[in-house]
Amino acid sequence: MHRRARSILRGEQGLSMILVLCIGALFVALSAALVYAASVLTANANRQLLEQEAYQLATSFSDVLEAELNKKDSSFAKFVNEQFMFSQSYGKDIYDLESQPKEFAWKPKGSQPDGGAEAITVTLRRRPGDGADKLNQTVNSTNATDLRNLLDTLEGEDRKGMAIVDLQLDITVTVTKNGESFAFTRTYDRTVKYSSSDKSTSKVYYTVNGGTTEYYREDALTFVAAGQEKLEIKDDNINSNRLTFHCDTSQQPDSITYTRGAKQSTGTTQE
């Protein structure tokens, strides 16, 4: 009887020891899980902080570039207007197709802190604007009075040009900080005006009946061209003289302004 009791007691002690070991192992595993969870939460928090800092830097630089864009004498505006939006080096069909992207590293001035960013990259893209088809358009009417009114509208007040949204510009700023990158894009509508006169320096000209001779509007409905007699359109010859209005895009517009377009996008990338 005593022998059996001692056997049972030893068995219970063994079970207790196993139970203690299991509970200990459970606490060790639980502690490890808590440590891992804490490290994951800390890493996520740090990443979110970096993303937020990169976002703030990207949007701040976008604001700086936007201000520079509408300063026609700034180096950034000159590059955009005189090269990127003007040259066929970035795509031959300027008013038909989207351009190849132009990417360059931005070097801020000393007065523009980089916020500890490892890299700041600016990417430009252009595409035809909603009004690109207005740069060249047929202008016909059934009577001389209506035709003159139409030409006055196309040439704008005091012949200083009609506002035309000829191109769109995307500016993407990508900021990299501690291996995290954030890209912020703004789209701008470019509005231009081309002035007109009766001189060959006019930035607006007309062609007649699909021809290639460039006519300049002298006044009302009288047109002049080098080596040609003056053309005066009246009610009795309006149907035999069909005009096409052209903006001379080989010249720089008289005025250029940029306003934010509808499209705006953000996104993150990880190296």
Side-chain angles (χ1 to χ4, degrees):
M1 185 72 179
H2 291 291
R3 189 178 302 164
R4 183 178 180 184
R6 283 196 297 272
S7 176
I8 293 172
L9 182 59
R10 282 197 297 271
E12 289 178 350
Q13 289 175 342
L15 289 173
S16 297
M17 182 61 68
I18 292 172
L19 182 60
V20 169
L21 291 174
C22 288
I23 292 174
L26 180 62
F27 274 112
V28 170
L30 181 60
S31 298
L34 290 174
V35 171
Y36 175 74
S39 65
V40 170
L41 290 174
T42 301
N44 287 338
N46 290 337
R47 181 177 180 181
Q48 290 177 355
L49 180 61
L50 286 173
E51 286 184 358
Q52 182 64 25
E53 291 176 350
Y55 167 80
Q56 291 175 347
L57 284 171
T59 54
S60 295
F61 260 83
S62 292
D63 291 340
V64 170
L65 293 179
E66 182 174 294
E68 293 294 307
L69 188 61
N70 280 309
K71 294 178 182 177
K72 65 178 183 179
D73 293 328
S74 73
S75 58
F76 181 62
K78 286 183 177 180
F79 170 77
V80 170
N81 293 326
E82 297 175 11
Q83 296 186 49
F84 185 72
M85 302 293 272
F86 189 69
S87 172
Q88 293 186 344
S89 299
Y90 306 99
K92 292 184 178 181
D93 299 318
I94 295 177
Y95 299 102
D96 291 322
L97 301 173
E98 183 167 309
S99 71
Q100 297 295 321
K102 169 63 178 177
E103 182 178 297
F104 55 92
W106 181 262
K107 296 181 180 179
K109 299 177 182 178
S111 60
Q112 299 170 354
D114 59 12
E118 298 162 9
I120 299 175
T121 302
V122 178
T123 304
L124 306 178
R125 289 181 178 83
R126 73 164 186 242
R127 69 181 60 83
D130 291 339
D133 57 342
K134 295 180 180 179
L135 296 168
N136 300 279
Q137 55 180 303
T138 301
V139 284
N140 292 320
S141 184
T142 57
N143 63 78
T145 300
D146 288 347
L147 179 60
R148 177 180 177 177
N149 291 336
L150 179 56
L151 298 185
D152 287 343
T153 299
L154 291 176
E155 294 187 8
E157 186 177 359
D158 297 326
R159 305 188 72 176
K160 292 181 179 179
M162 175 180 65
I164 298 174
V165 179
D166 66 336
L167 294 169
Q168 271 199 338
L169 172 68
D170 286 351
I171 300 179
T172 300
V173 176
T174 303
V175 172
T176 301
K177 186 172 183 179
N178 292 342
E180 292 291 336
S181 293
F182 191 94
F184 182 81
T185 299
R186 279 188 181 139
T187 298
Y188 297 91
D189 290 327
R190 188 179 90 149
T191 302
V192 297
K193 290 184 178 181
Y194 289 88
S195 64
S196 60
S197 71
D198 61 346
K199 304 293 191 298
S200 60
T201 54
S202 173
K203 297 181 180 180
V204 167
Y205 65 90
Y206 297 86
T207 54
V208 182
N209 297 329
T212 58
T213 301
E214 297 180 2
Y215 285 84
Y216 304 96
R217 187 181 174 209
E218 187 175 62
D219 58 33
L221 293 177
T222 302
F223 301 84
V224 294
Q228 303 290 326
E229 294 184 358
K230 285 187 179 182
L231 170 64
E232 185 176 0
I233 297 180
K234 303 177 181 179
D235 285 331
D236 59 1
N237 68 356
I238 192 170
N239 290 327
S240 58
N241 290 286
R242 316 303 284 178
L243 296 177
T244 302
F245 167 89
H246 302 274
C247 292
D248 186 358
T249 55
S250 68
Q251 301 186 61
Q252 283 287 334
D254 291 278
S255 71
I256 300 174
T257 55
Y258 291 88
T259 55
R260 291 188 190 181
K263 188 176 74 172
Q264 194 172 129
S265 63
T266 60
T268 56
T269 58
Q270 185 176 6
E271 292 185 341

